[in-house]
Amino acid sequence: MKKDKSKEEIFETTIKTNIERKSSFIDEVHMKDGIPLFSWIDLNPTELCNRKCEFCPRVDGSIYPNQNLNISLKLCQKINDELRSINYKGGLVLSGYGEPMMHPDLIEMVRILGNDVKLEIVTNGDKITVDIIKELFVSGLDIMIISMYDGAHQIDLFKSMFQEANISEESYILRDRWYTIDEDYGVKLTNRAGVVTVGKQDEVDRNKPCYYPFYSMMLDWNGDVMLCLQDWNKKVKMGNIALDSLVDVWKSKNFEKYRNMLSKSKRSLSPCSNCNTNGTLHGYNHIKEWNK
């Protein structure tokens, strides 16, 4: 008799599939002026979200309030122009700290950003319609990732919508996230650099490496560049791309300081000192180049 896979086995398979999908371009190193370029960009389009998930800082409005703050199309165009100028080969995901479908000019944003990069959107799917799906993919979207929080019935619902929109199964990913706290909500819980404590969290280990700042950039709606997507406190900024170029911020002294510490397995600086994320799933090729 065939044994059903456990939740842990299913979760590990999902993680492995996601890593393998991204590794084909994230872990390929491209050089610029003698340094490895970033190969992954997290872009936070909006400070709005229509949900308050228990494992997210937004569950407490006093910690992370909902705000009608959105990235401008002008800044999106600047990002696109700079990525073109360096012949960027990596990926860009619209996700960050908010629900991207709530940006008032999402379609135009995708049209600006989606022609020269591998563009993804992570969404809770609440604002999705067949027409919106069609518009997004025609405008330049490559992958839509939907986190489903309401139940298994959503699988057939979203599959039928993508089928009606004539979008292939390779272009979307459905993630089951409707589990309880005892099942870690169906996600790999992290403490968001110390902001979240719910669930069975891994212990903070201040003596382990992290590769995030060696391969990825986290861009906020106003152009601020965070150390990484785990820093929900937004207290440590690497620079601002509204004022400087992506490459100049990437080469900044502040980034250099954190790379130096993390390459030595030292998480002594904030926000790393309170962070329990793995941080080594990607970027292993980049850190080798940085250390040469």
Side-chain angles (χ1 to χ4, degrees):
M1 183 176 178
K2 185 177 179 182
K3 183 181 177 181
D4 290 338
K5 287 186 177 181
S6 67
K7 177 179 71 71
E8 290 77 14
E9 289 174 316
I10 294 172
F11 185 63
E12 290 300 321
T13 300
T14 301
I15 291 178
K16 182 180 179 182
T17 301
N18 195 45
I19 291 173
E20 290 175 346
R21 176 179 67 85
K22 291 182 177 180
S23 290
S24 62
F25 57 92
I26 286 184
D27 295 319
E28 184 175 349
V29 182
H30 295 274
M31 306 295 289
K32 172 72 173 176
D33 300 330
I35 66 170
L37 275 178
F38 44 88
S39 59
W40 184 251
I41 300 173
D42 286 278
L43 176 59
N44 180 40
T46 180
E47 281 297 298
L48 291 171
C49 188
N50 62 307
R51 287 191 178 239
K52 290 186 177 182
C53 301
E54 291 184 45
F55 54 86
C56 175
R58 287 183 175 276
V59 72
D60 185 346
S62 66
I63 294 176
Y64 206 102
N66 234 21
Q67 300 181 83
N68 189 19
L69 301 171
N70 307 286
I71 192 170
S72 69
L73 295 180
K74 180 179 179 180
L75 186 53
C76 290
Q77 188 64 58
K78 183 178 188 291
I79 294 170
N80 176 72
D81 293 344
E82 291 187 16
L83 293 179
R84 278 189 175 188
S85 71
I86 61 175
N87 196 25
Y88 181 63
K89 300 295 185 182
L92 189 156
V93 61
L94 301 178
S95 178
Y97 309 114
E99 167 52 53
M101 299 300 298
M102 297 190 74
H103 191 286
D105 297 309
L106 179 65
I107 301 298
E108 185 60 29
M109 186 196 316
V110 170
R111 191 171 289 119
I112 291 171
L113 295 170
N115 293 316
D116 299 293
V117 302
K118 298 174 181 66
L119 185 63
E120 303 185 0
I121 284 180
V122 178
T123 173
N124 57 36
D126 292 348
K127 305 293 182 180
I128 294 295
T129 66
V130 173
D131 287 341
I132 287 176
I133 291 173
K134 289 179 180 178
E135 279 192 273
L136 287 171
F137 279 93
V138 167
S139 298
L141 184 65
D142 293 298
I143 299 285
M144 180 178 286
I145 302 166
I146 300 181
S147 298
M148 303 174 294
Y149 297 109
D150 295 337
H153 66 279
Q154 290 184 287
I155 297 175
D156 290 336
L157 170 65
F158 286 121
K159 280 187 175 181
S160 65
M161 293 173 72
F162 282 106
Q163 185 175 18
E164 185 177 346
N166 198 29
I167 302 299
S168 68
E169 292 186 0
E170 292 76 22
S171 297
Y172 66 89
I173 297 171
L174 303 179
R175 293 176 172 167
D176 47 337
R177 297 288 188 263
W178 53 75
Y179 301 100
T180 66
I181 185 173
D182 293 330
E183 299 169 297
D184 294 338
Y185 305 103
V187 302
K188 174 57 180 174
L189 289 173
T190 67
N191 66 2
R192 305 299 206 276
V195 180
V196 175
T197 59
V198 67
K200 298 186 289 290
Q201 294 279 351
D202 291 340
E203 293 294 324
V204 173
D205 183 352
R206 296 183 179 180
N207 297 295
K208 64 185 295 186
C210 179
Y211 303 157
Y212 276 127
F214 294 88
Y215 77 94
S216 70
M217 294 189 80
M218 174 65 225
L219 312 182
D220 207 1
W221 67 274
N222 61 352
D224 282 343
V225 181
M226 308 300 147
L227 175 65
C228 77
L229 77 166
Q230 299 293 333
D231 183 14
W232 280 68
N233 277 313
K234 300 186 181 182
K235 291 182 179 179
V236 180
K237 298 178 176 61
M238 303 295 108
N240 187 292
I241 59 167
L243 306 173
D244 297 302
S245 71
L246 287 163
V247 173
D248 284 343
V249 175
W250 185 242
K251 296 191 297 183
S252 68
K253 292 294 184 182
N254 212 14
F255 253 132
E256 181 181 347
K257 177 175 68 173
Y258 278 86
R259 291 186 188 113
N260 182 53
M261 296 294 289
L262 292 172
S263 67
K264 299 174 182 176
S265 300
K266 294 181 179 180
R267 297 194 181 194
S268 55
L269 299 175
S270 178
C272 310
S273 56
N274 293 315
C275 184
N276 67 355
T277 193
N278 184 320
T280 61
L281 301 180
H282 295 288
Y284 36 82
N285 291 332
H286 291 75
I287 193 172
K288 289 177 184 177
E289 291 296 331
W290 279 104
N291 288 336
K292 284 183 178 180

Coordinates of all heavy atoms in Angstrom, one line a residue, residues 69-110:
L69 N 0.5 54.1 0.3 CA 1.8 54.6 -0.3 C 2.2 53.6 -1.4 O 2.3 52.4 -1.2 CB 2.9 54.6 0.8 CG 2.6 55.5 2.0 CD1 3.6 55.2 3.1 CD2 2.5 56.9 1.6
N70 N 2.4 54.2 -2.6 CA 2.7 53.3 -3.8 C 3.9 53.8 -4.6 O 4.1 55.0 -4.7 CB 1.4 53.4 -4.7 CG 0.2 53.0 -4.0 OD1 -0.1 51.9 -3.6 ND2 -0.7 54.0 -3.7
I71 N 4.6 52.9 -5.1 CA 5.7 53.3 -6.0 C 5.2 54.0 -7.2 O 4.2 53.7 -7.8 CB 6.6 52.0 -6.4 CG1 7.9 52.5 -7.0 CG2 5.8 51.1 -7.4 CD1 8.8 51.3 -7.3
S72 N 6.0 55.0 -7.6 CA 5.5 55.8 -8.8 C 6.0 55.1 -10.1 O 7.0 54.4 -10.1 CB 6.2 57.2 -8.7 OG 7.6 57.1 -8.9
L73 N 5.3 55.4 -11.2 CA 5.6 54.8 -12.5 C 6.9 55.4 -12.9 O 7.7 54.8 -13.7 CB 4.5 55.1 -13.5 CG 3.2 54.4 -13.2 CD1 2.2 54.7 -14.3 CD2 3.4 52.9 -13.0
K74 N 7.2 56.7 -12.5 CA 8.5 57.3 -12.9 C 9.7 56.5 -12.3 O 10.7 56.3 -13.0 CB 8.5 58.8 -12.4 CG 9.8 59.5 -12.7 CD 9.7 61.0 -12.2 CE 11.0 61.7 -12.5 NZ 10.9 63.1 -11.9
L75 N 9.5 56.1 -11.1 CA 10.6 55.3 -10.4 C 10.7 54.0 -11.1 O 11.8 53.4 -11.3 CB 10.4 55.2 -8.9 CG 11.5 54.5 -8.1 CD1 12.8 55.2 -8.4 CD2 11.2 54.6 -6.6
C76 N 9.6 53.4 -11.4 CA 9.6 52.1 -12.2 C 10.4 52.2 -13.5 O 11.1 51.3 -13.9 CB 8.2 51.6 -12.4 SG 7.3 51.0 -10.9
Q77 N 10.1 53.3 -14.2 CA 10.8 53.6 -15.4 C 12.3 53.7 -15.2 O 13.1 53.2 -16.0 CB 10.3 54.8 -16.1 CG 10.8 55.0 -17.5 CD 10.4 53.9 -18.5 OE1 9.2 53.7 -18.7 NE2 11.3 53.3 -19.1
K78 N 12.7 54.4 -14.2 CA 14.1 54.5 -13.8 C 14.8 53.2 -13.6 O 15.9 52.9 -14.1 CB 14.3 55.4 -12.6 CG 15.8 55.7 -12.3 CD 15.9 56.7 -11.1 CE 17.3 57.1 -10.8 NZ 18.2 56.0 -10.3
I79 N 14.1 52.3 -12.8 CA 14.6 51.0 -12.6 C 14.7 50.2 -13.9 O 15.8 49.6 -14.1 CB 13.6 50.2 -11.6 CG1 13.6 50.9 -10.3 CG2 14.0 48.7 -11.5 CD1 12.5 50.3 -9.4
N80 N 13.7 50.3 -14.7 CA 13.8 49.6 -16.0 C 15.0 50.1 -16.9 O 15.7 49.3 -17.5 CB 12.5 49.8 -16.8 CG 12.5 49.2 -18.2 OD1 12.5 47.9 -18.3 ND2 12.6 50.0 -19.2
D81 N 15.1 51.4 -16.9 CA 16.2 51.9 -17.8 C 17.6 51.5 -17.3 O 18.5 51.2 -18.1 CB 16.1 53.5 -17.8 CG 14.9 54.0 -18.5 OD1 14.3 53.2 -19.2 OD2 14.6 55.2 -18.3
E82 N 17.7 51.5 -16.0 CA 19.0 51.1 -15.4 C 19.3 49.6 -15.6 O 20.4 49.2 -15.9 CB 19.1 51.5 -13.9 CG 19.2 53.0 -13.7 CD 19.4 53.3 -12.3 OE1 19.8 52.5 -11.5 OE2 19.2 54.5 -11.9
L83 N 18.3 48.8 -15.5 CA 18.4 47.3 -15.7 C 18.8 47.0 -17.1 O 19.6 46.2 -17.4 CB 17.2 46.6 -15.3 CG 16.8 46.6 -13.8 CD1 15.6 45.8 -13.5 CD2 18.0 46.0 -13.0
R84 N 18.2 47.8 -18.0 CA 18.6 47.7 -19.5 C 20.0 48.1 -19.7 O 20.7 47.4 -20.5 CB 17.7 48.5 -20.3 CG 16.3 48.0 -20.6 CD 15.6 48.8 -21.7 NE 14.3 48.3 -22.1 CZ 13.6 48.8 -23.1 NH1 14.0 49.9 -23.7 NH2 12.5 48.2 -23.4
S85 N 20.4 49.1 -19.0 CA 21.8 49.6 -19.3 C 22.9 48.7 -18.8 O 24.0 48.7 -19.3 CB 22.0 51.0 -18.6 OG 22.0 50.8 -17.2
I86 N 22.6 47.8 -17.9 CA 23.5 46.8 -17.4 C 23.3 45.4 -18.0 O 23.9 44.4 -17.6 CB 23.6 46.7 -15.9 CG1 22.3 46.3 -15.3 CG2 24.1 48.1 -15.3 CD1 22.3 46.1 -13.8
N87 N 22.3 45.3 -18.9 CA 21.9 44.1 -19.5 C 21.6 43.0 -18.4 O 22.1 41.9 -18.5 CB 23.1 43.6 -20.4 CG 22.6 42.5 -21.3 OD1 21.5 42.4 -21.7 ND2 23.6 41.6 -21.8
Y88 N 20.7 43.4 -17.5 CA 20.4 42.6 -16.4 C 19.7 41.2 -16.8 O 18.8 41.2 -17.7 CB 19.4 43.3 -15.5 CG 18.9 42.6 -14.3 CD1 19.8 42.3 -13.3 CD2 17.6 42.3 -14.1 CE1 19.4 41.6 -12.1 CE2 17.1 41.7 -12.9 CZ 18.1 41.3 -12.0 OH 17.6 40.7 -10.8
K89 N 20.2 40.2 -16.3 CA 19.8 38.8 -16.7 C 19.0 38.1 -15.5 O 18.6 37.0 -15.7 CB 21.0 37.9 -17.0 CG 21.8 38.5 -18.2 CD 21.0 38.5 -19.5 CE 21.9 38.9 -20.7 NZ 21.2 39.0 -21.9
G90 N 18.8 38.8 -14.4 CA 18.2 38.1 -13.3 C 16.7 38.3 -13.3 O 16.1 38.5 -14.3
G91 N 16.1 38.1 -12.1 CA 14.7 38.2 -11.9 C 14.3 39.4 -11.0 O 15.1 39.9 -10.3
L92 N 13.0 39.7 -11.1 CA 12.4 40.8 -10.3 C 11.0 40.3 -9.9 O 10.2 39.8 -10.7 CB 12.3 42.1 -11.1 CG 11.9 43.3 -10.4 CD1 12.4 44.6 -11.2 CD2 10.4 43.5 -10.2
V93 N 10.7 40.4 -8.6 CA 9.4 40.0 -8.1 C 8.7 41.1 -7.5 O 9.3 41.9 -6.7 CB 9.5 38.8 -7.1 CG1 10.4 39.2 -5.9 CG2 8.2 38.3 -6.7
L94 N 7.4 41.3 -7.8 CA 6.6 42.3 -7.2 C 5.9 41.6 -6.0 O 5.0 40.8 -6.1 CB 5.5 42.8 -8.2 CG 6.1 43.5 -9.4 CD1 4.9 43.9 -10.4 CD2 6.9 44.7 -9.1
S95 N 6.3 42.0 -4.8 CA 5.8 41.4 -3.6 C 6.1 42.2 -2.4 O 5.4 43.1 -2.0 CB 6.4 40.0 -3.4 OG 6.0 39.4 -2.2
G96 N 7.3 42.0 -1.8 CA 7.7 42.9 -0.7 C 6.9 42.8 0.5 O 6.6 41.7 1.1
Y97 N 6.4 44.0 1.0 CA 5.7 44.1 2.2 C 4.2 44.3 2.1 O 3.5 44.4 3.0 CB 6.2 45.2 3.1 CG 7.8 45.2 3.2 CD1 8.6 46.2 2.6 CD2 8.4 44.2 3.9 CE1 9.9 46.2 2.7 CE2 9.8 44.1 4.0 CZ 10.5 45.1 3.5 OH 11.9 45.1 3.6
G98 N 3.7 44.4 0.8 CA 2.3 44.6 0.6 C 1.7 43.7 -0.4 O 2.3 42.7 -0.9
E99 N 0.4 43.9 -0.8 CA -0.3 43.1 -1.8 C -0.2 43.9 -3.1 O -0.8 44.9 -3.3 CB -1.7 42.9 -1.4 CG -2.6 42.4 -2.5 CD -2.1 41.1 -3.1 OE1 -1.8 40.2 -2.4 OE2 -2.1 41.1 -4.4
P100 N 0.6 43.4 -4.0 CA 0.9 44.1 -5.3 C -0.4 44.4 -6.1 O -0.4 45.4 -6.8 CB 1.8 43.2 -6.1 CG 1.7 41.9 -5.4 CD 1.4 42.1 -4.0
M101 N -1.4 43.6 -6.0 CA -2.6 43.8 -6.8 C -3.4 45.0 -6.3 O -4.3 45.5 -7.0 CB -3.5 42.6 -6.7 CG -2.9 41.3 -7.2 SD -2.5 41.3 -8.9 CE -4.1 41.6 -9.7
M102 N -3.0 45.6 -5.2 CA -3.6 46.9 -4.7 C -3.0 48.1 -5.2 O -3.4 49.2 -4.9 CB -3.7 46.8 -3.2 CG -4.5 45.7 -2.7 SD -4.8 45.8 -0.9 CE -6.1 47.1 -0.8
H103 N -1.9 48.0 -6.0 CA -1.3 49.2 -6.6 C -2.2 49.7 -7.7 O -2.7 49.0 -8.5 CB 0.1 48.9 -7.2 CG 0.9 50.1 -7.6 ND1 0.6 50.8 -8.7 CD2 2.0 50.6 -7.0 CE1 1.4 51.8 -8.8 NE2 2.3 51.7 -7.8
P104 N -2.5 51.0 -7.7 CA -3.5 51.6 -8.6 C -3.1 51.5 -10.1 O -4.0 51.6 -10.9 CB -3.7 53.0 -8.1 CG -2.4 53.3 -7.4 CD -2.0 52.1 -6.7
D105 N -1.8 51.4 -10.3 CA -1.3 51.3 -11.7 C -0.6 50.1 -12.0 O 0.5 50.1 -12.7 CB -0.5 52.6 -12.0 CG -1.2 53.9 -11.9 OD1 -2.3 54.0 -12.5 OD2 -0.8 54.8 -11.2
L106 N -1.0 48.9 -11.5 CA -0.3 47.7 -11.6 C 0.0 47.3 -13.0 O 1.1 46.9 -13.4 CB -1.0 46.6 -10.8 CG -0.3 45.2 -10.9 CD1 1.0 45.2 -10.2 CD2 -1.3 44.1 -10.3
I107 N -1.0 47.4 -13.9 CA -0.9 46.9 -15.3 C 0.2 47.7 -15.9 O 1.1 47.2 -16.6 CB -2.2 47.0 -16.0 CG1 -3.3 46.2 -15.4 CG2 -2.0 46.6 -17.5 CD1 -3.0 44.7 -15.3
E108 N 0.2 49.0 -15.8 CA 1.2 49.9 -16.4 C 2.6 49.6 -15.8 O 3.6 49.7 -16.5 CB 0.9 51.4 -16.2 CG 1.8 52.3 -16.9 CD 1.8 52.1 -18.4 OE1 0.8 51.6 -19.0 OE2 2.9 52.4 -19.0
M109 N 2.7 49.3 -14.5 CA 3.9 49.0 -13.9 C 4.5 47.7 -14.5 O 5.7 47.7 -14.8 CB 3.7 48.8 -12.4 CG 5.0 48.5 -11.6 SD 4.8 47.8 -10.0 CE 3.4 48.8 -9.4
V110 N 3.7 46.7 -14.7 CA 4.1 45.5 -15.3 C 4.6 45.8 -16.8 O 5.6 45.2 -17.2 CB 3.0 44.4 -15.3 CG1 3.4 43.2 -16.2 CG2 2.8 44.0 -13.9

